[in-house]
Each structure stands twice: as structure tokens, then as C-alpha cells.
Amino acid sequence: MALVYRPMMQLSGILFSLLGWVLSCLTTYLPQWKNLNLELNELEIWTMGLWQACVVQEEGGMQCKDFDSFLALPPELRFSRILMFFSNGSGFLGLLLSGFGLDCLKIGERQQEQKKRLLLFGGMLFWISGITAIVPVSWVAHSTVQEFWDENIPDIVPRWDFGEALFVGWLAGFCLLLGGSLLNCTICSTEVHPSSVHYAVAEQQDQCQHLETETRL
């Protein structure tokens, strides 16, 4: 890997991870995890998130009601809350650790081994954050598909469908995994410091001068 691409990969990894973390936080609070279209009343669209259920009217109004009890929620929504909080927390911690491990940061410039460890831990936290963001949205999507094709439910009963928050969550998990992978890839590359290059050139010049002196003798 060319040494020139090392800072660029680190910057790309941080940007992808930051984007994934922001989208993960957005997914946590969006009320559009599930959408319900009523055929009898097409002017209203019901949505459900981790915290509240909302009804959107065609006139532009939106009314939401928070869930009364955490224990009254379906299992997939309860565990999704916990996993999304864990995803947001690990992603934030990964941003802090990997930010201090960047080569462009002058702090701790002489402690390259510690900076590599920070990048490694930050990349691993981004992986954990990405996985814990993909799992809940995939779980809710799986349960939605099962309920949609459940033959025991009469056809006249409205079915829940995928909401926009699920796609935002999948994108967030992908960005976090990609950002963590880019950061960990930079650890495998070696970096040549200007001081070492200058020392090598000076040593080579000394050897050439020594050979010229022996030749003249």
C-alpha cells in the first residue's frame, strides 16, 4: 500500500464512521420503523418507532403518542432499543479513540504504537457499533415480513410494512463497518518518517564519500 494513501484512508474511515454514527442516532429516534396504510382511509398513514406511534394525515398534520410502558412493547422493539443505545455509545467511543490515533493529529506524534492501538480499538468499536445497528433493524424487518405473510391473519386486517428508518439503519451499519475496516487497514501499513529518510540519505552520502576517499588512496 502506498504511504501516500494512509492519511487519506484514515480520513475516509473517520468520515464514514461519523456518517454511520449520525445515521444510527437518527434511526434510534425516527418513528418510521413500520408503516401501516389503511385501505379504508387512505388519507392516514400510521407509523411505529421505538418510542412512539404516529399518524400522518394527508393534510400535513402529524400526531404522535409515546408508548406507556417498556415491558408492553413487542420483544423486537424492546431489544432494538437496547441494541441501538449500545450502537450509539460504542460508535461515539470509537470516534474519540480513533480521533486521537490519527496520523494528522500532532498530539502523541512520538508514540506511534499507542496511536496504532487507539486506531485498532476505534475500528473494532465501529465494527461492534455497525453490527449492533444492523441486528435490530434486520430483526424488525424479519418480524414484519413474517406478520405480513401470516396466513392466520385475515386478509381484511391491515399489515405493517417496512418503514424508512429500517433503510437508514442498514445504511448506518454499512458505513460503520466500512469506516472501521478502513481504519484497521491503515494499521497494517508502515509509515516512513521524514527523520528516518533524512538519516538514510545522509548515511548513503557518507558511504559514497568514504568510497571516493579509498579510491583516491
Side-chain angles (χ1 to χ4, degrees):
M1 181 184 298
L3 297 176
V4 181
Y5 296 114
R6 178 185 171 99
M8 295 178 59
M9 288 186 63
Q10 289 182 355
L11 182 60
S12 300
I14 284 292
L15 291 178
F16 274 113
S17 302
L18 178 61
L19 176 61
W21 179 74
V22 172
L23 293 177
S24 176
C25 295
L26 184 63
T27 303
T28 306
Y29 296 101
L30 278 176
Q32 290 88 8
W33 280 61
K34 292 182 178 182
N35 292 340
L36 181 66
N37 293 321
L38 299 177
E39 297 181 357
L40 299 178
N41 188 3
E42 297 180 356
L43 301 180
E44 293 182 351
I45 299 177
W46 289 79
T47 64
M48 179 185 295
L50 299 181
W51 307 96
Q52 58 189 358
C54 302
V55 55
V56 182
Q57 299 177 351
E58 189 179 7
E59 298 176 355
M62 182 175 180
Q63 297 179 353
C64 298
K65 184 180 184 302
D66 295 336
F67 297 125
D68 296 330
S69 175
F70 174 77
L71 298 178
L73 293 175
E76 64 271 13
L77 295 184
R78 281 182 297 180
F79 285 103
S80 295
R81 278 191 186 185
I82 300 173
L83 290 176
M84 291 306 297
F85 268 127
F86 189 77
S87 175
N88 298 337
S90 58
F92 179 74
L93 185 58
L95 286 173
L96 291 179
L97 293 180
S98 58
F100 285 107
L102 295 177
D103 292 340
C104 59
L105 191 66
K106 300 302 181 182
I107 300 177
E109 189 175 5
R110 297 181 179 180
Q111 300 175 348
Q112 293 298 321
E113 292 299 324
Q114 294 184 2
K115 297 188 74 170
K116 285 184 178 180
R117 292 192 186 97
L118 290 177
L119 279 179
L120 178 62
F121 292 148
M124 293 177 64
L125 285 172
F126 287 140
W127 282 347
I128 296 174
S129 179
I131 293 174
T132 52
I134 292 176
V135 169
V137 294
S138 300
W139 189 359
V140 172
H142 177 69
S143 63
T144 303
V145 171
Q146 284 187 328
E147 294 175 359
F148 188 88
W149 296 108
D150 191 355
E151 297 179 354
N152 297 324
I153 300 177
D155 295 336
I156 60 175
V157 177
R159 310 295 177 95
W160 289 99
D161 201 353
F162 289 172
E164 293 82 358
L166 298 183
F167 300 98
V168 178
W170 280 318
L171 180 60
F174 173 76
C175 291
L176 287 167
L177 291 175
L178 179 59
S181 300
L182 289 175
L183 290 176
N184 287 336
C185 285
T186 59
I187 301 175
C188 302
S189 62
T190 57
E191 183 181 9
V192 178
H193 297 281
S195 58
S196 61
V197 175
H198 179 74
Y199 177 78
V201 173
E203 185 179 2
Q204 186 176 5
Q205 290 178 352
D206 292 339
Q207 291 179 356
C208 292
Q209 291 177 359
H210 182 68
L211 289 175
E212 290 179 359
T213 304
E214 290 183 352
T215 303
R216 291 176 183 178
L217 293 177

